[in-house]
Amino acid sequence: MISRTQKSVRPGETRARRSLYLQYMVEPFFYLSPAIILIGAVVMLPLIIGISYSFQSIELLKPFAYGWIGFKNYVDLWSDRKFWIAMENTLFWTFWSITFQFLLGLGLAMLLNTQFFGKKLFQALVFLPWAVPTFLSALTWAWLFNPVIGPLPHWLAALGILSEPYNILGDPKLAMWGPITANIWFGVPFFAITLLAALQSIPGELYEAAEVDGATPWQTFTKITLPFLAPMIAITVMLRTIWIANFADLIYVMTGGGPANSTQILSTYIFTTAFRKLDFGYASTVAVALLVILLICAVILLWLRKKLVKI
Amino acid sequence: MSAVKKTNPALIVGKYAALAFYLIFALFPLYWLLKIGLTPDALIYSEGTRLFPSEITFSNFTTVIFQTDFVAYFRNSLMVSLGAAFFTTLFAAGAGYAFSRFVFAGKRIIIALMLVTQMFPLLMIIAPIYKVVADLGLLNSLTSLVVVYTAFNIPFATFLMQSFFDGIPKDLEDAAMMDGCSRFQALRKVVFPLTLPGLGATLGFVFTAAWSELLFALMLISRNDAMTFPVGLLTFVSKFSVDWGQMMAAGVLALIPSCLFFIFIQRYLVQGLTSGAVKG
């Protein structure tokens, strides 16, 4: 690239210049256009249509009430208790999922950064949950929490955490921990993989120097490892936050948002409103609200990326 | 770190305990799936919490395969996932190549837009997509799923492919072009063979993503003979909600393709997951 663009074009070589212009302005789009057209038609256009839906009444079950209704959906949203519950649940779900995924992922990455017997096999097995299709993770954990078929309620009861072996997915107070557990199980490998890559890029000399200077393992961890990992941690956590806040599959399969909306997060609320009630207008309104929240997150993320990653 | 080091025995024990914890946490749910799938129906309740069944049977597996629509779901999912993987990889390779090799007007904007599509909730467009697909008369068709999955996966696949192209020295192409190849010829004859592993990894990623997608498939497909695997398994679960052994056997079978692909793409995991985050 550099060698070509730096080639100087003498004045008078208009044809050459035009062909260069063609080459650099048009040719990339020859490679790009299928991707752009498809994303435009299947993602961007529906996005715009979706935003316009949020100002309309589109309930498939009430075809005669179609039409533009201005901000009515948004007014309804503001006073919709379910929406605020879902908002609170989204925060709870995202925060605890991220926290545990990150801590366990960091631990696993640090273990994998040391030497031990059978490491390759261990790594393949520990990363396996990541390969399990999400609907299947959800079903598996739903079954594990079912006292008829799964051992977890009995173990929890034996440990005294539950008074008797019952299904926590049916208990409004505890139900959210079911999908969160499944999410932790599913998400730890992701954090471990990204953090392991970052760990391996820390120069080994630093640790040797620290050892020579008599640093304790804790000091090495806080003074070398963490500062080096910080950019990767920030980016991964932000990306994951957005992703988990959107992640409806686990909850939808495990609890469907119930009992009594105690596990309803914004994205499952969008899906149930669209899929069960067929109220596309209102579903789009909730979606726009979620989009605004996530855009704020995304702006922070892009800003962080710029600040932290200097490539 | 230095190879010879004074090691504290307590630390070693702690380390192996931690390793064991992670291993059990990762594998136990899958083991349980397999265990219930293999337990004869008569013993499921009486041996509910036993770690090992006293007897095993493969009847759940054979019933699922031969007496349900399972094979049809499997075939539908395979077709959708392979179709989406093929087209995504093709288009993403083109886009990734453009990002890797050209500087052009609008590049930053396109990259930013692609990043944004990775971030916004895809569920947000489930209603418009349903209406458009319905108006086109494509509900219950696998084609609509292939198109939707292809579009959804292109951004991530593009960043992944870009990182693979970035890893191939530009001099190789320049040399070929110096020798009289057009850029396209250089791409085909020089770059393409070198990027085969990257193409394989992208195929694998998209395949696994499409294989496990549930919500759009649930929305767009309602006819039994067009159901993909996740949708089929969910209806299976709600229809035969008492037959635990068969459900879990179906679950184990659903695991097989994604595990195969996972083994195949594992080498590229780090590259794939980090490229979207730090490149661009």
Side-chain angles (χ1 to χ4, degrees):
Chain A
M1 171 63 34
I2 292 161
S3 64
R4 302 207 119 225
T5 40
Q6 280 175 350
K7 211 182 263 175
S8 60
V9 181
R10 263 172 278 136
E13 275 185 342
T14 45
R15 186 175 295 166
R17 191 176 290 163
R18 191 179 303 145
S19 85
L20 258 185
Y21 176 80
L22 263 181
Q23 194 177 351
Y24 287 107
M25 288 304 135
V26 178
E27 205 186 339
F29 288 95
F30 168 74
Y31 297 105
L32 265 173
S33 52
I36 294 180
I37 292 170
L38 206 58
I39 292 177
V42 182
V43 183
M44 290 302 172
L45 196 63
L47 179 67
I48 296 164
I49 299 177
I51 293 172
S52 82
Y53 278 5
S54 69
F55 298 101
Q56 299 176 53
S57 162
I58 305 185
E59 287 182 63
L60 295 198
L61 300 176
K62 295 182 193 163
F64 301 109
Y66 277 26
W68 294 89
I69 50 168
F71 284 91
K72 184 178 176 300
N73 282 330
Y74 288 90
V75 176
D76 290 349
L77 190 71
W78 187 256
S79 51
D80 181 1
R81 241 175 53 82
K82 271 194 197 168
F83 170 74
W84 294 107
I85 293 175
M87 180 87 95
E88 231 181 279
N89 287 338
T90 307
L91 289 178
F92 186 84
W93 149 260
T94 313
F95 178 78
W96 288 111
S97 299
I98 278 280
T99 307
F100 280 109
Q101 281 187 3
F102 168 68
L103 291 177
L104 288 172
L106 181 63
L108 183 57
M110 296 194 43
L111 279 174
L112 285 173
N113 202 30
T114 61
Q115 295 301 324
F116 54 87
F117 178 73
K119 185 172 153 186
K120 274 223 156 112
L121 182 67
F122 175 82
Q123 184 169 339
L125 291 176
V126 170
F127 285 172
L128 204 58
W130 194 78
V132 177
T134 41
F135 70 95
L136 196 58
S137 320
L139 285 175
T140 308
W141 280 96
W143 291 330
L144 284 173
F145 278 117
N146 188 324
V148 174
I149 204 80
L152 290 183
H154 303 279
W155 292 352
L156 290 174
L159 287 172
I161 298 170
L162 295 182
S163 54
E164 52 176 330
Y166 66 94
N167 194 340
I168 65 161
L169 297 178
D171 177 356
K173 282 205 197 85
L174 293 174
M176 191 56 115
W177 287 103
I180 289 179
T181 312
N183 199 10
I184 295 166
W185 181 74
F186 172 74
V188 165
F190 172 86
F191 268 102
I193 289 166
T194 39
L195 293 175
L196 179 63
L199 276 176
Q200 284 169 347
S201 68
I202 302 177
E205 299 94 61
L206 287 176
Y207 288 108
E208 282 162 27
E211 207 173 310
V212 171
D213 291 347
T216 65
W218 176 249
Q219 280 173 326
T220 322
F221 177 71
T222 52
K223 297 273 152 68
I224 300 175
T225 313
L226 273 187
F228 260 92
L229 285 186
M232 199 50 155
I233 290 176
I235 288 168
T236 326
V237 166
M238 284 300 295
L239 266 180
R240 251 355 213 190
T241 304
I242 291 171
W243 196 83
I244 288 176
N246 288 337
F247 188 34
D249 300 42
L250 282 179
I251 293 183
Y252 183 75
V253 174
M254 287 180 82
T255 65
N261 289 310
S262 59
T263 58
Q264 192 80 276
I265 64 170
L266 287 174
S267 52
T268 56
Y269 192 39
I270 296 170
F271 188 70
T272 44
T273 311
F275 182 64
R276 294 248 178 89
K277 289 193 189 154
L278 297 172
D279 186 346
F280 287 1
Y282 197 64
S284 298
T285 313
V286 182
V288 171
L290 177 56
L291 180 68
V292 171
I293 298 168
L294 292 175
L295 270 182
I296 297 169
C297 283
V299 168
I300 299 173
L301 170 67
L302 288 174
W303 176 78
L304 265 180
R305 221 172 82 105
K306 218 173 180 178
K307 277 240 141 178
L308 297 172
V309 182
K310 290 173 182 91
I311 292 181
Chain B
M1 265 186 244
S2 56
V4 190
K5 212 166 112 180
K6 278 173 286 162
T7 37
N8 185 342
L11 264 177
I12 302 261
V13 172
K15 178 175 156 185
Y16 280 93
L19 290 175
F21 161 77
Y22 278 110
L23 205 58
I24 292 169
F25 182 57
L27 294 185
F28 179 74
L30 299 177
Y31 167 72
W32 201 257
L33 199 67
L34 185 65
K35 183 219 133 181
I36 302 278
L38 289 171
T39 309
D41 283 349
L43 296 178
I44 280 187
Y45 298 105
S46 57
E47 299 189 351
T49 54
R50 267 181 65 148
L51 280 181
F52 301 100
S54 55
E55 234 180 283
I56 62 168
T57 169
F58 288 97
S59 70
N60 288 323
F61 288 88
T62 49
T63 315
V64 166
I65 293 174
F66 295 112
Q67 288 168 29
T68 63
D69 292 327
F70 188 87
V71 177
Y73 301 152
F74 204 90
R75 196 188 51 227
N76 288 336
S77 250
L78 204 61
M79 273 159 51
V80 169
S81 307
L82 284 178
F86 173 77
F87 286 111
T88 308
T89 309
L90 186 70
F91 297 158
Y97 182 73
F99 285 157
S100 171
R101 292 296 195 260
F102 293 93
V103 177
F104 55 92
K107 183 175 172 180
R108 283 184 156 270
I109 297 173
I110 295 172
I111 289 181
L113 274 180
M114 281 201 174
L115 274 177
V116 169
T117 61
Q118 291 228 70
M119 286 167 198
F120 81 70
L122 287 175
L123 273 181
M124 151 148 221
I125 54 176
I126 203 161
I129 285 202
Y130 178 86
K131 279 212 88 179
V132 171
V133 170
D135 290 346
L136 292 172
L138 285 174
L139 283 183
N140 289 316
S141 84
L142 297 179
T143 320
S144 60
L145 281 187
V146 173
V147 173
V148 169
Y149 292 169
T150 304
F152 287 174
N153 283 303
I154 279 181
F156 174 76
T158 299
F159 293 124
L160 185 58
M161 282 311 300
Q162 185 195 350
S163 76
F164 283 115
F165 282 123
D166 284 344
I168 297 172
K170 230 192 104 50
D171 303 349
L172 288 175
E173 277 164 278
D174 286 342
M177 278 152 74
M178 210 71 91
D179 291 344
C181 278
S182 70
R183 180 183 282 279
F184 195 71
Q185 276 174 322
L187 178 60
R188 195 162 54 88
K189 293 193 177 144
V190 179
V191 180
F192 177 71
L194 285 174
T195 190
L196 276 179
L199 290 171
T202 313
L203 275 174
F205 271 112
V206 181
F207 182 91
T208 17
W211 184 265
S212 57
E213 206 286 328
L214 168 69
L215 297 178
F216 275 83
L218 209 55
M219 192 87 184
L220 297 178
I221 306 281
S222 55
R223 228 177 47 216
N224 195 45
D225 60 315
M227 280 179 182
T228 59
F229 206 87
V231 184
L233 198 66
L234 265 199
T235 50
F236 190 80
V237 167
S238 39
K239 237 189 273 173
F240 310 96
S241 58
V242 277
D243 207 329
W244 298 104
Q246 285 188 24
M247 285 186 335
M248 302 222 183
V252 173
L253 291 170
L255 259 179
I256 294 169
S258 21
C259 283
L260 287 180
F261 264 95
F262 178 72
I263 293 165
F264 173 61
I265 60 176
Q266 212 183 17
R267 294 175 46 200
Y268 305 105
L269 278 178
V270 177
Q271 202 165 358
L273 291 171
T274 50
S275 66
V278 296
K279 287 267 166 67

